[in-house]
Amino acid sequence: MGIDIGGTGIKGAVVDVDSGELLTDRIKKPTPEGGEPEAIAAVVKEVIDELKVTDADLHVGVCFPAAIMDGKTLSAANVSKKWIGFEAEKLFEKTLGRPIHFVNDADAAGYAEGRYGAAKGVKGLVIMTTLGTGIGTALLNDGVLIVNAELGHLEIEGKDYETKASFAAKERDDLSWKHWAKRLQKYYSRLEALLYPRLIIVGGGVSKQYEEFLPLLDLRAEIVPAKLRNNAGILGAAALASESKPAF
């Protein structure tokens, strides 16, 4: 089972980790206002309850928009600051009554694209970016995930640039596709100047409309939409849970 927690929505499904297909309908609920730990954990439990999964041995992966180390959330983007330094994995395991595998949301999406999607079989450095409430990033080098790359927070022109180039910023500032693409150009050009990727993948819900903005970008690396769209976090969280083989 994969659970994907975002700044605006929490969604989950049961996954066939061999094929990368959803075995159930995707359940989605809004993220509680304020994004506080206990409230989010309660909604995750609601999602799992609606999935009606009775198999206690089912591996469960939960992905979350924060840098994560040893089960703790070390940052908090677009959720409550109470998550900073918080024992998040313990909270979810207590609320759900089962062990989980806890991972950054962009890392989960990037892992899924490497295993099932646009980065499958690609050699060299791949950067996965998710454009949504913020900008999530994941790094894959020869298919190996390098965790906790918070490159959405690159400082450009004195600003944390996810506040200027995320899809939420496009909506907030009522930008046309053309004007949003100019901000994305600055962001992706800076990524290229620092890391020289072979491939850049663009995910998040807006990737369904990739033809409106990707052709406007002029980059050295190939840039493509995510194949798994908004299911990437669910798939990656479930796959990583299966790979981790927790002791149930």
Side-chain angles (χ1 to χ4, degrees):
M1 189 188 315
I3 304 293
D4 182 0
I5 299 169
T8 57
I10 297 172
K11 49 190 181 287
V14 178
V15 172
D16 182 332
V17 296
D18 291 325
S19 67
E21 296 178 351
L22 302 189
L23 298 178
T24 64
D25 290 337
R26 189 177 69 175
I27 303 295
K28 182 174 182 179
K29 293 182 176 293
T31 302
E33 188 173 349
E36 297 197 353
E38 289 76 11
I40 284 180
V43 174
V44 170
K45 186 176 187 305
E46 290 176 13
V47 170
I48 291 178
D49 288 346
E50 286 195 25
L51 287 170
K52 296 181 171 60
V53 175
T54 58
D55 184 356
D57 293 332
L58 193 70
H59 292 193
V60 178
V62 177
C63 64
F64 187 83
I68 294 166
M69 189 177 294
D70 300 327
K72 285 186 178 181
T73 41
L74 303 183
S75 61
N78 306 304
V79 289
S80 169
K81 298 304 180 187
K82 291 182 180 179
W83 289 97
I84 298 174
F86 186 73
E87 292 279 5
E89 189 172 63
K90 289 181 179 179
L91 171 66
F92 285 114
E93 290 185 338
K94 179 180 178 182
T95 304
L96 303 178
R98 61 166 77 211
I100 67 164
H101 182 73
F102 194 48
V103 63
N104 172 269
D105 59 345
D107 284 345
Y111 185 79
E113 287 292 333
R115 182 163 174 167
Y116 311 112
K120 185 176 181 180
V122 177
K123 295 296 183 182
L125 179 63
V126 177
I127 303 179
M128 170 81 182
T129 61
T130 57
L131 303 177
T133 310
I135 299 177
T137 60
L139 303 181
L140 295 167
N141 191 50
D142 290 342
V144 177
L145 177 66
I146 303 166
V147 300
N148 290 328
E150 292 286 333
L151 297 173
H153 300 293
L154 282 179
E155 184 176 311
I156 302 174
E157 298 174 344
K159 296 185 180 296
D160 177 341
Y161 215 64
E162 78 163 15
T163 65
K164 301 289 288 183
S166 67
F167 182 62
K170 177 189 183 302
E171 293 190 311
R172 181 196 67 225
D173 296 341
D174 195 24
L175 299 176
S176 67
W177 293 108
K178 181 179 179 180
H179 283 89
W180 186 45
K182 288 181 179 180
R183 295 188 184 183
L184 291 175
Q185 180 71 48
K186 287 183 181 179
Y187 174 71
Y188 286 117
S189 292
R190 179 63 60 87
L191 274 186
E192 283 200 315
L194 294 172
L195 292 170
Y196 290 83
R198 184 178 299 275
L199 176 67
I200 298 172
I201 301 172
V202 178
V206 72
S207 64
K208 291 182 290 188
Q209 297 167 279
Y210 72 94
E211 293 177 336
E212 299 284 356
F213 63 96
L214 289 192
L216 302 176
L217 302 178
D218 182 16
L219 299 168
R220 179 180 55 252
E222 182 181 8
I223 185 165
V224 300
K227 285 189 176 179
L228 305 175
R229 301 292 195 268
N230 249 359
N231 287 336
I234 291 173
L235 292 168
L240 285 164
S242 176
E243 289 288 322
S244 71
K245 298 179 174 59
F248 283 89

